[in-house]
Amino acid sequence: MRSWYFALNLQEPLTPEQSDTIDHLDRFNDGRIGVEEGPGWSKFTCLFETETLTEAIAEALGFFEDFPGVLIRSVELDHFDIRANGMATPAVVPGPPPVETTPSAR
């Protein structure tokens, strides 16, 4: 099993009613998923142990099946986690910035 750490960014911030609902749902209180909120945004930080990243994201999204009104806008992956799980490639993890060169004098 691999440990996957990622964030589910919400389309809209949670309403006070939605936050209250989450506080009383066991599936949001087992340590695998937590909510972070700031002015104008909400996201869920997730830590799931599965064989694949796809399985981890699918399991996390399953938490929202019976929670209407909460829409996930994007999944944010941690580049350190991708490297730790042996999935780093130049297309996934950005390479270093280009080296600046000065034009040669002619």
Side-chain angles (χ1 to χ4, degrees):
M1 289 285 192
R2 295 177 178 176
S3 294
W4 299 101
Y5 178 77
F6 54 94
L8 301 175
N9 297 303
L10 301 186
Q11 185 74 29
E12 300 287 332
L14 292 172
T15 65
E17 295 81 15
Q18 290 169 330
S19 292
D20 187 51
T21 299
I22 287 171
D23 289 341
H24 297 94
L25 292 174
D26 289 341
R27 65 180 172 251
F28 285 97
N29 293 297
D30 69 359
R32 294 183 293 162
I33 189 166
V35 67
E36 290 185 26
E37 298 182 274
W41 61 271
S42 295
K43 71 178 181 179
F44 288 89
T45 54
C46 305
L47 177 60
F48 284 84
E49 291 186 1
T50 61
E51 285 298 321
T52 68
L53 177 59
T54 303
E55 291 171 337
I57 293 170
E59 190 172 337
L61 292 175
F63 279 49
F64 297 90
E65 284 179 341
D66 300 322
F67 197 41
V70 176
L71 301 175
I72 306 300
R73 176 177 45 89
S74 63
V75 177
E76 180 181 341
L77 303 174
D78 182 282
H79 66 93
F80 293 111
D81 195 50
I82 291 173
R83 284 187 180 140
N85 281 309
M87 296 181 64
T89 67
V92 175
V93 178
V99 177
E100 287 189 37
T101 59
T102 57
S104 58
R106 289 188 185 215

